[in-house]
Amino acid sequence: MTAPLLLIDGHYLLHRSWFGFAARIWNRDKSIDRTGVFGFAALLRKAQFQHATGFEIFVVFDAEDGSQTRAGEDSDYKAHRPAPDPGLIESLALIKNALDHIGVRWIEQAGVEADDVIATLATRARSDGRPVDIMSTDKDYIQLLADPCVRLLNTGLAQDRRYTTGAHIHPRYGVFAEQWPDFRALMGDPADNIPGIPGVGPKTAARLLADGRRLENVPAKDLRPTWAEQWQHALRWREMIKLGTKVDLPDNLLTAAPTGPLPKAPDVLEALGLW
């Protein structure tokens, strides 16, 4: 039997693990902070228990040079992001070891952002008829919700609000999921340092894209002169926001088999000698 797929945005879960716990988690002699790897294992196990029993679980990490292609198109892309906390970097290698130990497959594809790897894996799984959940708070994934069998999962929200589907998008934003790159190109995306067109907020962007329009279909009469001057920039930003669904990945990354029950975080750290 082919299992549904849960794709984990690895760096999202790493940041949540490192910064989201009320108290730090140390090894036994209090000399090494283990919050990152402990939190990752704990949150992953909780996600499986609450939302993904019987799913194949696969984790995708951003490559260090993953944003180079988009940065080549616009040097401002993600240029404002600070250097990561050293603790995050140290935790990452431990987390990968932990995933290997507990039997959860993962990938960090050189030169590619995790968004594009996840979009490619989701597309592959859907071509095989598999439902797909994506665990992340990155709104770029909204464009994948044009497929009704793809959902976003945010376990940091209340239980009844954790899933986002394509049906939620138009009531919430005034555009359809497949219009998301157009929408964000107009209003901007601070997370990726995409400025958007000055004077165009979410309501105006939704009005310009009414009735399912794309950027190239917006009537010229609806554009202020200053917006029209920026339109070519918006078209370029849209292409940067679009997720790649044809990343060249190794074959047989996905097994279609359910991931077995995950162990408790203390047991993972004990087995790896991290206490």
Side-chain angles (χ1 to χ4, degrees), residues 12-33:
Y12 150 73
L13 195 56
L14 169 59
H15 278 261
R16 189 173 158 202
S17 303
W18 185 253
F19 295 109
F21 280 70
R24 308 308 295 173
I25 298 164
W26 300 86
N27 66 338
R28 287 194 174 95
D29 66 6
K30 307 297 183 184
S31 62
I32 305 175
D33 189 335

Side-chain angles (χ1 to χ4, degrees), residues 21-22 40 60 69 82 92 112 125 128-129 131 133 135 153-154 165 167 178 197-198 201 225 240 250 269 271 273:
F21 280 70
F40 198 102
V60 181
T69 298
L92 187 56
V112 184
D128 293 331
D133 290 345
M135 187 173 170
L153 171 62
N154 179 358
T165 69
E178 56 267 29
I197 293 182
M240 294 171 63
L269 269 65

